[in-house]
Amino acid sequence: MIPIQIRPDQVMDEISTFQKKLTTGLQNLADADDIPSGVTPKEAVYREDKLTLYRFQPSTSAVQNPVPVLIVYALVNRPYMTDLQENRSTVQGLLDAGMDVYLIDWGYPDRADRFLTMDDYINGYVDRCVDEIRWRHGVDKVNLLGICQGGTFSLCYSAMNPEKVQNLITMVTPVDFHTPDNILSHWVKHVDVDTLVDTMGNIPGELLNWTFLNLKPYQLMGQKYLDMVEVLQDKDKLDNFLRMEKWIFDSPDQAGETYRQFIKDFYQQNKLMNGGLHIGDHEVDLSNVTMPVLNIFAEQDHLVPPDASKAMGKKLGTKDYTELSFPGGHIGIYVSGKAQKMVPPAIGKWVNERTEK
C-alpha cells in the first residue's frame, strides 16, 4: 500500500486559496440584490380569497394566438418557477411563441383555508378563472397548461368541463401514481393521512419540502452546498443559486382537506387509473377528455417518473394525443437552457396548429 503523502506547503496553499475564495464569495453574497418572484411584466386581473389571476404582458413581436392559455400550477411551491429569470422563463417563451398567457397564483393558505376541498379548488377557483378569461376575450374555450399537481387538476377539470377547454397541455403530470419507480408513492402509501390532517389541520410546507429533499438527500442537501464556495466566485452563478434556493424553500402550507383527498384518492388508491374518483358532485372520467392533449414529461424526473405521466395516453378519450419527451429532470424542464429552446416553442407550434384562425 502506497502511503498518502501530504506536504505541509500544499496544505497551506489550499487553505490560503480557500480563504481567499471564501472572502470573495462572502462579499459577493453581501452585494447580492433581492431576488424577485418572477420577472416578466404582469397585471392582476382577478382576485378571490388568497388567489390572484395574473395576465402577462403579451409580446408585440409575435403573431398572437386568439385563444388565451391559463397556467395551473401545483399547490406545492410557488408558480414563479415558470418565470424565474429573463433567460430562464417558460412564460416568456410562451409569449414569444404568440401565446396570451394567464397564471393562477394560489397564494399562501392559512387556518381559514383548512377545510378547502379539491372541489373548491377545481370546480371553484379554476372554473371561475376560466370563466373570467372567457369573458375578457369573448371566447367559449381556453387553452389549459397544467404543471405537476396542477396538471392533474387540469386533467380533472377538463374531464368535468370539456366544453370550456380548447386544448390541454400537461407538464410533468402524474396520472398513474403506482408505477414501480415512484419513490414518493411508495412512501406515501402507508401514511395515516386522516390522523395527520386531523392533528395538524393544514399541512406545513416545510414538512412537504423536507420530504421532497429526502428523495435525493445527498444531491439536494449535501453536494450543492459543498460546491457553494466555487459558486460564490461568480455573481451570475450566485444569483442563479439564490433564485433556486428561494423557490425551493418558498413552500406554502397545504389546505388540510385538499391534502387528505389528494393523498388518499391519488397516491394511495390511484383512482385516476382505477376509477371511482369523485370531486364534489362530479365523477371524473378521463374518457371525457376529448380535446387535443399535449403531454410533456421529463426523462430523468424523480418526482413524476415518465411512466406515471405517459399512462394518461391509454385513459383519455381524445383522438389527438401527442407526447413530448424532454431530456432532463423535474426542475430542468422549466429553467434549463435546453428547455427554453425546446419546450415553449413546441407548445406554441402545437397549439397554433390546432387553433382556428
Side-chain angles (χ1 to χ4, degrees):
M1 179 180 295
I2 301 176
I4 298 175
Q5 296 188 8
I6 300 177
R7 289 172 47 189
D9 58 326
Q10 290 180 331
V11 172
M12 294 303 297
D13 285 344
E14 288 186 16
I15 293 174
S16 176
T17 300
F18 179 84
Q19 289 177 331
K20 290 178 182 177
K21 286 184 176 181
L22 190 59
T23 300
T24 301
L26 290 175
Q27 185 60 53
N28 287 340
L29 189 61
D31 294 339
D33 295 327
D34 290 338
I35 303 299
S37 300
V39 294
T40 303
K42 60 183 182 293
E43 64 170 331
V45 297
Y46 176 78
R47 298 182 190 273
E48 182 181 354
D49 300 331
K50 307 296 191 302
L51 175 151
T52 304
L53 176 65
Y54 288 106
R55 184 188 186 189
F56 291 90
Q57 183 174 312
S59 172
T60 58
S61 60
V63 177
Q64 199 73 30
N65 190 295
V67 182
V69 58
L70 171 62
I71 298 177
V72 182
Y73 199 77
L75 302 178
V76 181
N77 290 115
R78 303 281 290 130
Y80 57 82
M81 172 54 68
T82 62
D83 189 35
L84 199 63
Q85 64 189 77
E86 285 81 0
N87 59 345
R88 295 187 182 189
S89 172
T90 299
V91 166
Q92 187 59 56
L94 293 173
L95 294 172
D96 292 341
M99 301 288 100
D100 197 338
V101 182
Y102 289 77
L103 178 143
I104 294 176
D105 185 334
W106 299 111
Y108 295 87
D110 57 27
R111 287 188 296 175
D113 305 302
R114 158 75 171 81
F115 294 100
L116 285 177
T117 64
M118 285 184 59
D119 185 43
D120 294 319
Y121 276 106
I122 299 174
N123 292 319
Y125 293 138
V126 173
D127 190 49
R128 287 189 285 275
C129 286
V130 168
D131 286 346
E132 173 72 16
I133 297 169
R134 292 168 64 221
W135 173 78
R136 291 175 65 90
H137 290 263
V139 297
D140 294 327
K141 301 179 180 182
V142 304
N143 297 314
L144 273 188
L145 169 53
I147 297 176
C148 193
Q149 182 191 38
T152 306
F153 280 14
S154 297
L155 268 174
C156 294
Y157 180 84
S158 299
M160 293 184 286
N161 302 275
E163 73 282 357
K164 295 184 180 182
V165 182
Q166 180 81 28
N167 299 290
L168 173 64
I169 306 102
T170 58
M171 289 181 67
V172 291
T173 293
V175 174
D176 184 352
F177 287 76
H178 286 180
T179 56
D181 54 351
N182 193 329
I183 300 175
L184 185 59
S185 177
H186 288 303
W187 286 2
V188 174
K189 277 182 184 179
H190 306 291
V191 170
D192 185 348
V193 68
D194 287 328
T195 298
L196 183 63
V197 174
D198 291 344
T199 302
M200 304 192 75
N202 288 344
I203 305 304
E206 294 88 347
L207 175 61
L208 297 179
N209 198 44
W210 178 87
T211 303
F212 297 138
L213 291 175
N214 273 280
L215 291 171
K216 285 187 171 182
Y218 179 72
Q219 179 179 340
L220 299 179
M221 293 190 290
Q223 185 61 50
K224 69 176 180 179
Y225 297 116
L226 293 175
D227 297 336
M228 190 174 178
V229 172
E230 298 299 328
V231 171
L232 287 171
Q233 305 309 299
D234 187 309
K235 291 185 177 182
D236 290 336
K237 290 182 179 179
L238 174 60
D239 285 344
N240 293 343
F241 180 86
L242 293 176
R243 288 187 184 96
M244 286 301 304
E245 289 295 283
K246 176 180 178 178
W247 178 81
I248 288 170
F249 292 100
D250 191 356
S251 304
D253 294 346
Q254 303 297 293
E257 290 307 313
T258 294
Y259 182 83
R260 187 198 305 268
Q261 183 179 5
F262 193 77
I263 296 299
K264 279 187 162 184
D265 286 357
F266 294 88
Y267 275 102
Q268 294 182 343
Q269 300 178 35
N270 206 21
K271 287 186 176 181
L272 273 181
M273 296 297 292
N274 299 331
L277 175 63
H278 289 82
I279 297 178
D281 296 329
H282 304 271
E283 181 173 2
V284 177
D285 184 350
L286 292 185
S287 67
N288 292 328
V289 178
T290 55
M291 71 291 299
V293 175
L294 172 62
N295 181 25
I296 307 170
F297 56 88
E299 295 171 8
Q300 285 85 49
D301 195 332
H302 70 291
L303 289 173
V304 183
D307 286 345
S309 184
K310 293 164 68 176
M312 79 170 69
K314 299 177 181 178
K315 306 296 291 185
L316 305 181
T318 183
K319 296 180 180 178
D320 186 354
Y321 173 76
T322 307
E323 290 182 349
L324 177 62
S325 174
F326 172 72
H330 191 82
I331 304 303
I333 200 170
Y334 317 119
V335 300
S336 69
K338 183 182 296 184
Q340 301 310 307
K341 296 176 182 178
M342 176 182 175
V343 177
I347 294 174
K349 182 175 183 295
W350 183 87
V351 170
N352 288 335
E353 290 172 349
R354 288 157 179 80
T355 302
E356 296 181 4
K357 304 298 183 182

